[in-house]
Every structure is written in C-alpha cells, then in structure tokens.
Amino acid sequence: MNLQTEEFEIEVTGRGKRRLYRRRAGDEEVEKIIYADDGNIVVCPVEPVNMPKIGAAEHLMVELKKSVIFEPDTKNTFYVKFPIEVGVFTVDKKDVERIDIFTTVKAKYALYGPPESGIICRWWRSDVYAEEPEVNPLKEGVLRVDVENKYHEWVELQKVVFRAFDMKIFYNEHAYMHGMLTLLKKTTGETSFNTRKPKNMHGAIDIYAAKGIKKFDKKYFMEWGFK
Amino acid sequence: MNIVATIQETLDYEIAGIKVIEMIEFAVIFIIAVIIARIARMAVRRRFKEKLSPTTLNNMEKVVYYGIILIGFFIALPKGVSLGGLLVAGGIAGIVIGFASQTVVANLISGLFLMVERPVEIGDSIAVGDVSGVVKDIKVLSTTIRTWDGIYVRIPNEKVFNSNIYNYVAHGARRFEYTIGIRYSDDASKAIDIIKGILAEHPLVLKYPEPDVFVSELGESSVIIAVKIWAPSSHWYSVKKELLWKIKTILEENGIEIPFPQRVIWMAGGEKKEGRGKGKQR
C-alpha cells in the first residue's frame, strides 16, 4: 500500500504476517512494525484534538473571523472550516487499533473560560460562510453549524466550542461534520452533533470507540460565553 | 482409630464457645475471600485501566477488594458468634484502640476528609510541606508521593490535611515566566516582536489567555523583558524547558544579544574605561 500526497506519504510494505508501516509528514517520520494475519489499514480524518500531544485537549474551539449576530427565536445555518487530523488504523473483525495520527496544519491551543475552571481547547480560526466552502481536504474540513437562538434577546457569537467526544466525522472528497448550537442565554449555550450519515459519505473511525469507550448522546454546555 | 478420635476431639474442642473446626472453616473461607478479592481487584484494574481516571479506578478497586473481604468475613463467621456482640466488642475495642492510638485515628479521619474534599488526586503533581512530586496513592492513613527524583515518600494524612497543598495541575492552564535581558543598544520592540513570533508558533503556548511580553525593568546592565506564558498544566514543564533556549538562539540570530553584567568606571582625571563583559556602553 502506498498513499502519496504533497502533504504526506504513507507506505505499508512487507510480506506475510510482518509489515512495516512508514509515514512521512513534513519533517516528521514514523515507522512501526505490524504483525497481522488478516485485517485492513484504514486512513480517515479523526477528531482534531490529538496533535501535537494526545490528551492536551478534548474540545475544539472555532473562533470566527467576523462576529455573527442572531435575532431572538430564530434558526440559522452557517459553515466554518475545521482543522484536519489524519488517523491510520488497523481494522479487523474483532477490534480497531490506532497506528498513527498526524496533521499537516499548525496546531494551537487556547483556554475557554477562566484558568481555575476553564478547559483547554484545540483552537482554530475560520471565516464564516453562508454556503459550504471549498477546502483543501488534507488540511481543512467543513463544519456545518445549525444555530437556534432560544433567548429573547439578540446574541452575538464570536466563537463556538465543541466536545471531541460528541463529534461524528464523515468524509468523501473532504471531511464533514454537522454541529448544532442552541443559544440559551446571552452567554450560555449547548453544542452537539448530528450523527446521521449524509448521502454519499463514509463514517470516519471514532478514536473514542477505537479505545473501547462507549458513546452516548450528550451536549456540551458553553457556560463561559461566546466572545 | 485412636488418631481419628483424637483429631475429632481436637476439632470439637471449644475455645471461648467456638469449636476449633469452626475456626479452621473461618480461616479457610476468609483466605478464599481474600484470594477472590485480589483476583477481582486485578480484573477491575485490567478491565477499566484505560477507561477511568487513576483516582476513580483506585477507589473502585478498594470498594471491590474490601467489599468481597467483608462479605467473606460475614459468611465465614462461626454460627455461635453473635454479630451484634461482635459489633459491640468491635466498638469497645475501637474506643480503646482509639484512645491508645490517637495519631492513627487523626490520620484516619484526615484521610477520610481528604477523600471527600479531594484537593489532590492520584497522578497530580503537588507539593506538601517540603515534599513535592506525583501522588501515587491516597490511602486511609497516608498519602504516598513519588518525588521528582524518584524517591518514595509516605506522608501521614494528618500532615497532608494540615499543610498547605500546592496542586500544580488542578487547573487546566498555568502561567510561567522568563525574564530576558538584552543590551541597551538593542531594539527592545524588535526583540518583543521576535519573542511574540516564537510564542505564536508553539502549539502549546496558549492563544488565550494571550502571552504577555513587555519591558519590565531597566536593569543595571540590560533592558529586562518579561515573558509571561500560559500553557496547559499537563504540559507546561516541557514547554518551559523548550522555549527559553529557543528564544535566546533566535534573538542572537537576529543580532540581539544577552549582555554580561557590566559597569562603567570613570577614573578621576583619567580616561573613561569600560567594565568587563561584552555589552556596549550605555
């Protein structure tokens, strides 16, 4: 197997049970030996919170380059871009195991909320699009955000925070997520994901499911405002 | 026949109203319960090691382990032993032991308060008194810490409870800072821009709260630039180790140097002479 792009190269060589996995992205090179009778290698986008240190964050913060203001009691949709992290997995009938995760975009983190109780998020800044934007599929994915303003006042939005645990990524030519944001007050809201698979798209492997963690529908409560 | 009769007689012999055979049964059942408890504890650890936090896993292991032992204890109790009587005896013994060992009781109660209040959790980087390191276990009587140089330290819970506890990872982010001195002849604004650029490139230097870089002092030999950086608490130390030398190197690549201490000396009636060091005259 050989997957070569301008941004990275993945190669699996060898015969019989023993295979050599080799990946190059930028200056970084990774080599791993795989012993397997059966099974496939799957390359797909994963929740963008793992680079450069797994465990540094469990949330994604998308900061909007331009604020968006929502009228009371309305429903609207906009699109933003999100950073791509690529996961490489070995898959057989019994189990899914992560071999490697990498990215070709620069990672940055930010604190959402105060230092004593806030959370570390993978930070990303995006333009706001009325329609699905074109993306470089190796660097960016499309995140559709359905916003419902349930509050009786106008609400201004400069950032939105999603929990990686709730994410469901789909892909074909590019990665895609469908997020939802409910504005409850001027400074609080809830985010979640629509997990229904869009037509002509594949469901990406979920890194939490790959770890054996059972997922359940849950919402993330944005309690520290939208600015 | 004689041996069998002797064994039978021994087994039926009563000590404090309990037959020897019942005592043996108690010991066997209790030992089996301990073995089962250990197996169950190991099973819990294997099953949930990657799914639960170390503290939760540790508590779950303790509940399973001591729960099984307690059940085994009650199953193993000889029929002649009254549970009420045992509890009364245990209570009285507890009071006696309590008076005899007040320190142990103080540690026990402090341990319970620590478990409820949870100022520290297993795996946290903390400092208690003059000991700092990673919390390895929080037991009923003591807390064990592995110091940064790998030494096992057991601290009685009473001491932990009564000390100032510094938990370095209790919050998601923490700040650290450098003070960097540059020559008076260097452009401080340029140096600040360069440092800000380095910080912007590093993924684990937090975007928010933004790092703060400014001239904090006009020192004797150098212009002091303060660099205040927020990083995830879980990774701040690696960021701190990595950045200082990088800043120094890149500043020097851009012609900005960190001067040695220097002093200008004026000789009475003579020429002006510069003090030691590479820095230029102010």
Side-chain angles (χ1 to χ4, degrees):
Chain A
M1 172 192 158
N2 192 317
L3 184 61
Q4 198 166 358
T5 70
E6 283 180 16
E7 313 289 342
F8 63 85
E9 184 181 352
I10 294 172
E11 189 181 37
V12 181
T13 54
R15 286 181 183 179
K17 277 188 171 184
R18 191 177 191 274
R19 307 288 170 93
L20 178 68
Y21 166 83
R22 185 182 292 134
R23 186 265 297 171
R24 177 195 57 76
D27 297 335
E28 192 188 35
E29 274 195 38
V30 171
E31 284 191 350
K32 291 187 181 180
I33 297 165
I34 303 165
Y35 278 90
D37 286 327
D38 199 2
N40 296 313
I41 303 259
V42 174
V43 181
C44 64
V46 292
E47 292 83 344
V49 292
N50 304 288
M51 300 306 295
K53 301 268 187 187
I54 290 173
E58 292 180 343
H59 295 75
L60 171 69
M61 176 197 289
V62 180
E63 185 179 354
L64 311 177
K65 284 185 183 170
K66 288 175 189 162
S67 294
V68 187
I69 299 163
F70 295 98
E71 193 183 354
D73 300 318
T74 53
K75 290 182 180 178
N76 296 281
T77 295
F78 65 82
Y79 295 85
V80 291
K81 295 176 182 178
F82 69 91
I84 287 292
E85 288 184 8
V86 181
V88 184
F89 300 87
T90 49
V91 182
D92 74 354
K93 289 171 193 168
K94 291 178 189 166
D95 191 27
V96 176
E97 181 64 33
R98 183 184 69 211
I99 303 175
D100 190 17
I101 293 180
F102 62 94
T103 184
T104 57
V105 294
K106 197 179 83 177
K108 195 76 183 163
Y109 288 82
L111 181 72
Y112 174 60
E116 68 277 7
S117 51
I119 49 163
I120 301 292
C121 304
R122 170 79 187 272
W123 174 84
W124 183 254
R125 180 178 276 157
S126 169
D127 274 316
V128 180
Y129 302 89
E131 293 177 355
E132 213 175 295
E134 284 193 8
V135 290
N136 176 347
L138 300 176
K139 290 181 178 289
E140 302 157 327
V142 174
L143 171 57
R144 171 182 163 159
V145 185
D146 291 344
V147 184
E148 183 179 5
N149 184 5
K150 285 189 173 176
Y151 195 45
H152 58 79
E153 289 183 23
W154 293 77
V155 176
E156 186 176 349
L157 187 70
Q158 280 180 1
K159 63 186 165 202
V160 58
V161 176
F162 293 100
R163 179 165 43 200
F165 185 75
D166 305 328
M167 287 178 183
K168 185 64 197 166
I169 303 178
F170 303 96
Y171 66 100
N172 48 21
E173 278 117 36
H174 62 75
Y176 173 85
M177 290 197 284
H178 183 177
M180 289 170 290
L181 166 64
T182 307
L183 305 172
L184 302 171
K185 302 274 180 194
K186 202 93 175 165
T187 57
T188 59
E190 283 177 342
T191 57
S192 59
F193 282 89
N194 184 346
T195 55
R196 194 179 302 163
K197 188 163 81 74
K199 272 185 182 176
N200 305 323
M201 283 198 150
H202 310 284
I205 289 175
D206 186 320
I207 50 173
Y208 295 96
K211 281 185 201 167
I213 297 170
K214 295 272 187 300
K215 292 186 81 165
F216 44 90
D217 284 340
K218 218 175 166 186
K219 292 175 179 175
Y220 174 66
F221 181 55
M222 284 183 68
E223 58 182 308
W224 291 297
F226 306 117
K227 292 184 183 176
Chain B
M1 285 299 286
N2 217 2
I3 297 169
V4 173
T6 310
I7 294 172
Q8 189 62 48
E9 199 176 304
T10 311
L11 292 177
D12 288 340
Y13 183 75
E14 287 190 4
I15 301 169
I18 303 166
K19 290 179 180 175
V20 171
I21 181 72
E22 288 174 336
M23 289 182 180
I24 294 170
E25 277 176 12
F26 174 82
V28 170
I29 294 172
F30 190 74
I31 289 166
I32 291 170
V34 170
I35 293 168
I36 292 171
R38 286 187 176 183
I39 293 168
R41 183 171 63 180
M42 188 59 72
V44 166
R45 190 178 299 171
R46 285 183 180 169
R47 181 80 178 81
F48 297 105
K49 175 86 173 148
E50 292 181 357
K51 297 182 182 176
L52 296 175
S53 72
T55 304
T56 312
L57 180 63
N58 191 272
N59 290 339
M60 188 188 265
E61 281 178 22
K62 281 174 184 163
V63 167
V64 169
Y65 183 73
Y66 290 111
I68 291 173
I69 287 178
L70 203 64
I71 291 166
F73 177 79
F74 286 122
I75 291 171
L77 268 184
K79 286 171 194 167
V81 177
S82 146
L83 193 59
L86 199 70
L87 290 174
V88 170
I92 292 166
I95 292 166
V96 173
I97 293 166
F99 274 113
S101 53
Q102 285 185 10
T103 314
V104 174
V105 174
N107 282 326
L108 178 79
I109 291 168
S110 299
L112 293 175
F113 277 115
L114 282 174
M115 283 175 185
V116 173
E117 193 190 337
R118 298 174 76 175
V120 297
E121 295 196 15
I122 293 170
D124 284 358
S125 302
I126 66 160
V128 179
D130 54 356
V131 178
S132 65
V134 179
V135 178
K136 299 311 289 181
D137 201 359
I138 304 166
K139 293 176 186 162
V140 180
L141 294 178
S142 65
T143 297
T144 49
I145 292 176
R146 191 201 67 216
T147 61
W148 304 123
D149 44 359
I151 295 166
Y152 169 98
V153 180
R154 176 190 175 279
I155 309 175
N157 279 338
E158 189 188 8
K159 191 177 176 188
V160 177
F161 193 70
N162 291 326
S163 301
N164 291 338
I165 299 174
Y166 297 88
N167 190 331
Y168 300 118
V169 293
H171 299 156
R174 66 168 292 184
R175 198 186 75 177
F176 62 91
E177 64 181 80
Y178 305 123
T179 49
I180 297 166
I182 60 169
R183 295 176 302 192
Y184 271 86
S185 55
D186 290 328
D187 183 349
S189 301
K190 185 183 168 190
I192 288 172
D193 287 344
I194 290 168
I195 294 169
K196 281 185 176 174
I198 296 166
L199 302 183
E201 283 299 311
H202 197 292
L204 291 171
V205 171
L206 294 183
K207 178 77 182 170
Y208 303 116
E210 282 183 291
D212 205 2
V213 186
F214 58 95
V215 173
S216 67
E217 194 185 332
L218 300 175
E220 283 190 9
S221 311
S222 57
V223 175
I224 309 291
I225 295 176
V227 182
K228 304 194 178 198
I229 299 164
W230 285 89
S233 296
S234 51
H235 295 89
W236 76 275
Y237 190 59
S238 62
V239 180
K240 185 175 182 178
K241 280 193 296 183
E242 195 180 324
L243 272 177
L244 186 57
W245 191 251
K246 200 171 189 175
I247 290 171
K248 187 256 184 197
T249 310
I250 296 177
L251 283 177
E252 283 185 351
E253 282 170 8
N254 285 275
I256 295 169
E257 289 191 9
I258 295 164
F260 293 110
Q262 59 185 279
R263 186 169 294 278
V264 179
I265 299 169
W266 293 85
M267 306 298 287
E271 287 182 10
K272 181 176 69 179
K273 289 186 179 175
E274 281 189 17
R276 67 188 171 87
K278 285 164 75 177
K280 288 181 182 174
Q281 180 197 342
R282 257 189 259 174

